[in-house]
Amino acid sequence: MTVAQEPVTFPIDLGAYKEIKLDPSSSTLTDAQKADLKANIQLCRDAIVFFTATGAARGVGGHTGGPYDTVPEVVILDALFRGSPDQFVQTFFDEAGHRVATQYLMSVLKGHLSAEQLMHYREANSTLPGHPELGLTKGVQFSSGRLGHMWPYINGVAFANPTKTVFCLGSDGSQQEGNDAEAARMAVAHGLNVKLLIDDNDVTIAGHPSGYLPGYDLKKTLGGHGLTILEGDGEDLDDLYSRIIQAINTPGPVAVINKRKMCVGIEGLEGSTHGHDVISVKLALPYLESRGLTAAADVLRSIPTPKNNYTFIGSGDNWGSNRNVFGDAVVSILARMSPEERKKSVLVIDSDLEGSCGLNKIHAANPEIFVSGGIMERGNLSAAAGFGMEEGKQGIFATFSAFLEMCISEITMARLNFSNLLCHFSHAGIDDMADNTCHFGINNMFADNGLDDGYPTRLYFPADAAQMTAVVEAVFTNPGLRFIFSTRSKTPNILKEDGTPFYGEGYTFTPGKDEVIREGTAGYIVSFGDALYRALDAVERLKQEGIDVGLINKPTLNMIDEETMAKIGKSSFVIVTEAFNRRTGLGSRMGSWLLERGYTPKYAYLGTHHEGCGGLWEQYPHQGIDPVGVIKKVKELIG
């Protein structure tokens, strides 16, 4: 991909950043130090608004509010690190990986990146993905992984550096994750010199913790674990600084809790849940212009939104959002129940991602059966499973596919307790995943971890919006554990050879049944989900070249259709193409299934096998699983 050329110079002068040195033995700021810190805070906040907004301009998204909020803490730490370098582990560890803009900005200020690189924030192949990745981006000193995973990790860093202070930037959202409670107990028990700087802005993606988790209080929670608590106003610079110094000079773990509004001072975002995500160009422009940063505003106006100009054949122009269609389909089913029946038999539990998983549709239509569960995936899945323990009841749970890995033990417990649980894991695969590697949903087959004679577990991955509706309709009342996967990206409708919708009028989904999308005499490609329309494009283009390849959709991932297995097993070759992990996906199983039945076609499987490249659709060609990669593999097999 050719990276679009932006103006040569970053339009905000980061050279104005003042390299302050602060002494941790002094708990007060001089007037000059305070003035310099304020200037640095404003400069960094202006820069963050600007370069994260370039992500909005390109359509790759990003996050503005988190890094914007925590700038005061970060610039104070930077000055302390510079003033007393041997006293600290000089890493801005952060539990909220979406605050990656902090890491990139500090990498520029320390000379590891050019300021101009920031204008390619989250762009494909820019090495600036949506979460920090160690070894990918110059200057980045750690990989954050998913929300709320760093504190347990830096406890180990503290063990390794017993004479130094270790800081961890946290949030009221990250602290909802249960492993932070474990980390707290460890830190207190061993007197680890870990200092938490927690942004308590009462905002997460789907709402305000004070509203959906009444009783949740960081001061009481962390104090109950035994930490020293220093709570105050995060925007009061004198108070913030004095509390950080007090934390440094207090032995053992300390939580510095900083109260503030999300995106304080940004008109249209302050205090809003929308501040969690990337600032829109519409709001960034007046902010920058009010600050006199007209050159930065002009840059934003000049950035074109990149488009994927590839034309896929074999599929139509009706692009649907399967993750939202899931919610629509459930609402349609619930509407056929009486209010009493709904309340008695169904419970829906969200994990702060209702707008991303389609559960917001259920919330709006049936609030009486909806629970805003907060950022507690493991506990929420178990609660939904527990509701579905009784015959005639079922829990519904949803989150991102990347977080499925966190829930394996809870899935096993649900199976052992014969729960009726319908799970929707969206953002499966890699498509449109500018957050990059830690947010790839590629190990979804881990959900199928029961025994052959155990309680049933079924995995489904519909190919388009119409099939998503059909799948939900078919499996909604089935007993056992049912996992339905969808992508972050929209997918086009799959067409028959005559150009009519494959999953159109009259189609009924049959669990466990594979579907022949195209017949072929040369061999077969097996695919599913968003990989299917790309494979279909490859098949159609191969047929145009006289290579008669067939295509199988396998929407039920973990059930063997013996009829289809015989069909493809007797062909010349079989290729599985998928966005799942090549080590753990369907392809790693299909070859064994064929051999167990005595079939020996030439066999290959394509899947995700590289770290990500950022961007959106660019992730597919990066992994070699786009139509070009599939065609290449077919030609390799046929010689």
Side-chain angles (χ1 to χ4, degrees), residues 8-25:
V8 173
T9 305
F10 191 79
I12 298 174
D13 180 16
L14 295 182
Y17 186 82
K18 302 176 187 298
E19 296 188 348
I20 310 164
K21 293 182 179 180
L22 292 175
D23 182 355
S25 66

Side-chain angles (χ1 to χ4, degrees), residues 323-388:
R323 57 190 171 110
N324 289 312
V325 170
F326 172 86
D328 292 329
V330 172
V331 168
S332 177
I333 294 169
L334 294 174
R336 300 196 290 266
M337 300 180 185
S338 68
E340 295 77 18
E341 184 183 5
R342 280 197 301 270
K343 182 68 174 176
K344 180 180 178 181
S345 61
V346 180
L347 181 69
V348 181
I349 303 184
D350 171 53
S351 293
D352 196 50
L353 293 171
E354 60 177 275
S356 296
C357 301
L359 295 192
N360 58 333
K361 308 292 185 73
I362 308 172
H363 192 176
N366 304 108
E368 73 280 1
I369 63 169
F370 188 90
V371 174
S372 296
I375 309 168
M376 304 182 292
E377 296 85 359
R378 287 156 287 203
N380 289 341
L381 186 146
S382 283
F387 181 87

Side-chain angles (χ1 to χ4, degrees), residues 354-564:
E354 60 177 275
S356 296
C357 301
L359 295 192
N360 58 333
K361 308 292 185 73
I362 308 172
H363 192 176
N366 304 108
E368 73 280 1
I369 63 169
F370 188 90
V371 174
S372 296
I375 309 168
M376 304 182 292
E377 296 85 359
R378 287 156 287 203
N380 289 341
L381 186 146
S382 283
F387 181 87
M389 184 179 185
E390 183 181 331
E391 186 177 354
K393 296 180 182 291
Q394 80 160 319
I396 299 178
F397 168 85
T399 189
F400 290 171
S401 288
F403 307 152
L404 186 150
E405 298 169 18
M406 298 161 57
C407 301
I408 300 303
S409 183
E410 285 72 21
I411 290 169
T412 297
M413 285 296 295
R415 183 181 299 110
L416 292 174
N417 282 292
F418 306 107
S419 295
N420 299 313
L421 178 65
L422 178 64
C423 292
H424 175 212
F425 282 91
S426 71
H427 292 55
I430 60 174
D431 201 17
D432 269 20
M433 212 69 71
D435 277 329
N436 221 45
T437 309
C438 74
H439 270 49
F440 283 175
I442 55 176
N443 290 314
N444 297 25
M445 300 292 277
F446 284 3
D448 184 30
N449 62 356
L451 302 175
D452 288 349
D453 60 351
Y455 195 58
T457 301
R458 298 289 180 258
L459 277 54
Y460 306 105
F461 202 149
D464 67 13
Q467 189 175 40
M468 170 62 85
T469 299
V471 168
V472 175
E473 285 280 353
V475 309
F476 187 84
T477 58
N478 288 358
L481 275 60
R482 288 138 293 144
F483 294 81
I484 299 179
F485 303 121
S486 67
T487 60
R488 181 182 188 273
S489 57
K490 292 183 177 181
T491 56
N493 57 319
I494 302 299
L495 301 179
K496 298 178 181 178
E497 290 178 275
D498 63 6
T500 60
F502 196 98
Y503 301 108
E505 186 176 352
Y507 170 77
T508 300
F509 175 70
T510 302
K513 181 65 180 175
D514 298 342
E515 299 165 343
V516 180
I517 306 298
R518 295 290 187 271
E519 291 285 4
T521 58
Y524 281 92
I525 296 172
V526 179
S527 192
F528 58 86
D530 60 320
L532 187 76
Y533 77 87
R534 293 171 165 100
L536 178 54
D537 177 83
V539 165
E540 294 285 12
R541 295 181 189 278
L542 285 164
K543 287 181 182 291
Q544 290 175 0
E545 295 182 32
I547 305 174
D548 187 28
V549 178
L551 177 63
I552 304 295
N553 181 25
K554 189 168 184 59
T556 306
L557 301 178
N558 64 334
M559 293 179 68
I560 299 171
D561 182 339
E562 296 294 351
E563 181 181 356
T564 302

